[in-house]
Amino acid sequence: MIINPNGDDEWHHPDDFTLKPDGFFTVLRAKAAVDADPRCTNKVSCADILALAARDSVLLSGGPYWPVELGRYDGKVSTRNSVVLPHPDYSLDKLYQMFSAFGLDQTDLVALSGGHTFGAASCAFINNRLYPTTDQTMNPQFANQLRGTCPAALNPNIFVFLDATTFAAFDNAYYKNLQQGKGLLASDQILYNDPRTQGTVNMFASNQGAFFQAFTNAMTKLGRIQVKSALNGEIRRDCRFPN
């Protein structure tokens, strides 16, 4: 959420290029509304609001509810180097190495990847799967459809939905897409193609309730990672700037 005048912040990292301004403005409006109540002024962190907003966006789109643990403080620093996200070309081994470093297991990895039932990705993340030849793990009809949107000449300003089937709903269609070779990112499709995670993908594809339960468990664990306290954080007055 922090904006640095010199542009060295998470907003400007290429991995965050597809994040929409509307999401940031929603958090800013929520923060302003909470702080407008004298009982809550400067008592609720931007980090907690982000966690609640993530839960509510899932719930309002047909997904599960889970109780969000609160009491986080906000960080004071944001740089491009602060961004730690899996890349679309990661192998399963590399994905698991990243997730396990945060105390997340293989089921958490597959469940959290299901968050790609939402959102979009830049063509820059998938062009290497389309050109000069199609990635053999991709459904040929799906590849032709994507080539109609993403030209061979790389254009990072063109986006495609991560789940073109039900992009506005939080459901298990993401996993059904993987079964058909319609995972947009290579790091998505590998979850089905690798026998170590294929069983979990198949279970979530056939049992939405199992996916929802695993997702809420994983989100709770994710929300406990590197939490800031009063010792190393603050409650920002404006989410865009350290106090």
Side-chain angles (χ1 to χ4, degrees):
M1 294 294 297
I2 291 179
I3 299 174
N4 284 334
N6 63 6
D8 183 17
D9 52 46
E10 296 184 42
W11 284 51
H12 291 92
H13 192 286
D15 287 351
D16 286 340
F17 187 65
T18 55
L19 295 179
K20 303 300 182 186
D22 286 352
F24 293 103
F25 295 144
T26 298
V27 173
L28 294 176
R29 288 194 295 268
K31 173 68 170 171
V34 170
D35 281 353
D37 186 328
R39 297 169 299 176
C40 304
T41 304
N42 296 332
K43 293 181 180 179
V44 181
S45 67
C46 304
D48 273 351
I49 291 173
L50 275 168
L52 290 165
R55 190 273 311 279
D56 290 352
S57 65
V58 169
L59 181 64
L60 291 170
S61 302
Y65 171 91
W66 67 94
V68 176
E69 297 173 338
L70 302 174
R72 301 168 184 81
Y73 279 66
D74 295 315
K76 301 177 181 179
V77 177
S78 171
T79 67
R80 294 190 187 202
N81 289 335
S82 303
V83 178
V84 181
L85 290 171
H87 285 188
D89 60 348
Y90 275 10
S91 66
L92 184 62
D93 287 332
K94 197 161 186 178
L95 287 169
Y96 185 61
Q97 181 182 13
M98 169 178 270
F99 277 66
S100 62
F102 292 109
L104 300 169
D105 60 29
Q106 188 168 284
T107 300
D108 298 327
L109 163 60
V110 180
L112 290 171
S113 296
H116 284 176
T117 188
F118 273 163
S122 165
C123 288
F125 290 145
I126 63 167
N127 266 44
N128 66 331
R129 302 191 71 202
L130 302 173
Y131 306 102
T133 58
T134 303
D135 183 333
Q136 293 302 301
T137 66
M138 183 178 282
N139 180 296
Q141 291 180 325
F142 183 53
N144 287 335
Q145 176 187 336
L146 291 173
R147 275 192 286 267
T149 302
C150 296
L154 194 61
N155 187 338
N157 296 309
I158 301 177
F159 302 94
V160 286
F161 289 116
L162 288 160
D163 169 13
T165 309
T166 58
F167 58 85
F170 193 94
D171 56 23
N172 65 341
Y174 165 84
Y175 300 104
K176 297 176 182 179
N177 290 340
L178 298 186
Q179 291 175 321
Q180 302 171 55
K182 295 181 179 179
L184 185 69
L185 306 177
S187 56
D188 288 328
Q189 192 59 48
I190 193 65
L191 299 178
Y192 179 74
N193 293 348
D194 194 301
R196 291 174 291 177
T197 46
Q198 188 180 94
T200 308
V201 170
N202 287 337
M203 178 177 65
F204 291 164
S206 63
N207 187 336
Q208 183 165 274
F211 162 49
F212 282 4
Q213 184 61 57
F215 183 81
T216 59
N217 290 343
M219 286 296 289
T220 300
K221 291 169 70 172
L222 191 67
R224 295 171 178 167
I225 294 173
Q226 297 180 353
V227 172
K228 297 287 189 296
S229 69
L231 295 175
N232 59 355
E234 63 185 10
I235 294 180
R236 280 182 230 144
R237 289 184 290 271
D238 185 324
C239 293
R240 298 169 296 176
F241 308 103
N243 294 342

